[in-house]
Amino acid sequence: MTYIGALMIYYGDEVGLTGGKDPDCRKMMIWDEEKQDRRLLATMKSLISLRQRYQLLRRGPFARCWLMSGLFGFLREHANQHARVLVLLNNGTEDQRIALENIPTLQSGVWTSVFHTAPTRSSVASHIGGRFNLPKTSGMVLLQGELL
């Protein structure tokens, strides 16, 4: 939802529908809400809302800015808006300590967290001074500047 290009969600992805090898590529939709992954659905809705709210997530240029041991980050920015969006994804098996000043493409300034997938709010430490923990298998979206 934060990556470049047209948004693509296959039916059932939003509730955790799985598939297998052909011909079981796509199973029947899970209509019973008790069997749906409601947490995943809430996450998808939050990300869609974020994408709708900030034009930069739909049309901004893309630059990879961090890639190491299960950690991937990219920057979306627009010079005319004086704004940036930083997306950080930790696909690793351990928490990662993030220091924003160590990312060469970032400028100093205040970054505000607008989304994260950590299990609880307390799982993502304050990023005062540009340092915080990003839990394993989680992600977050940070904003800097004034966004449309």
Side-chain angles (χ1 to χ4, degrees), residues 9-53:
I9 303 171
Y10 289 109
Y11 83 92
D13 283 351
E14 72 281 8
V15 294
L17 182 65
T18 61
K21 294 185 178 182
D22 198 21
D24 195 29
C25 299
R26 192 48 76 170
K27 296 180 180 177
M28 296 292 292
M29 180 63 176
I30 304 169
W31 295 111
D32 183 353
E33 289 186 12
E34 305 241 341
K35 295 180 181 177
Q36 294 177 350
D37 185 337
R38 304 305 284 173
R39 184 168 169 238
L40 177 59
L41 179 60
T43 298
M44 296 285 267
K45 286 181 177 183
S46 293
L47 284 168
I48 290 169
S49 176
L50 199 67
R51 187 177 174 96
Q52 289 172 340
R53 182 174 179 187

Side-chain angles (χ1 to χ4, degrees), residues 97-102 125-133:
R97 183 77 178 151
I98 308 293
L100 294 179
E101 69 268 13
N102 292 340
S126 170
H127 49 275
I128 295 170
R131 294 173 182 265
F132 54 91
N133 287 322

Side-chain angles (χ1 to χ4, degrees), residues 4-135:
I4 55 176
L7 184 60
M8 176 65 122
I9 303 171
Y10 289 109
Y11 83 92
D13 283 351
E14 72 281 8
V15 294
L17 182 65
T18 61
K21 294 185 178 182
D22 198 21
D24 195 29
C25 299
R26 192 48 76 170
K27 296 180 180 177
M28 296 292 292
M29 180 63 176
I30 304 169
W31 295 111
D32 183 353
E33 289 186 12
E34 305 241 341
K35 295 180 181 177
Q36 294 177 350
D37 185 337
R38 304 305 284 173
R39 184 168 169 238
L40 177 59
L41 179 60
T43 298
M44 296 285 267
K45 286 181 177 183
S46 293
L47 284 168
I48 290 169
S49 176
L50 199 67
R51 187 177 174 96
Q52 289 172 340
R53 182 174 179 187
Y54 299 112
Q55 182 183 35
L56 191 55
L57 290 174
R58 298 185 309 270
R59 299 199 175 127
F62 169 90
R64 185 177 70 196
C65 63
W66 189 293
L67 184 59
M68 59 179 252
S69 60
L71 187 64
F72 178 68
F74 59 90
L75 192 63
R76 313 269 320 254
E77 62 184 321
H78 194 289
N80 294 342
Q81 293 180 18
H82 304 289
R84 297 169 142 210
V85 174
L86 175 63
V87 178
L88 295 171
L89 305 168
N90 182 0
N91 195 34
T93 57
E94 296 185 18
D95 295 357
Q96 294 281 343
R97 183 77 178 151
I98 308 293
L100 294 179
E101 69 268 13
N102 292 340
I103 303 175
T105 55
L106 297 184
Q107 298 170 349
S108 62
V110 176
W111 289 89
T112 305
S113 175
V114 294
F115 178 84
H116 61 82
T117 60
T120 63
R121 274 218 146 324
S122 61
S123 295
V124 177
S126 170
H127 49 275
I128 295 170
R131 294 173 182 265
F132 54 91
N133 287 322
L134 186 60

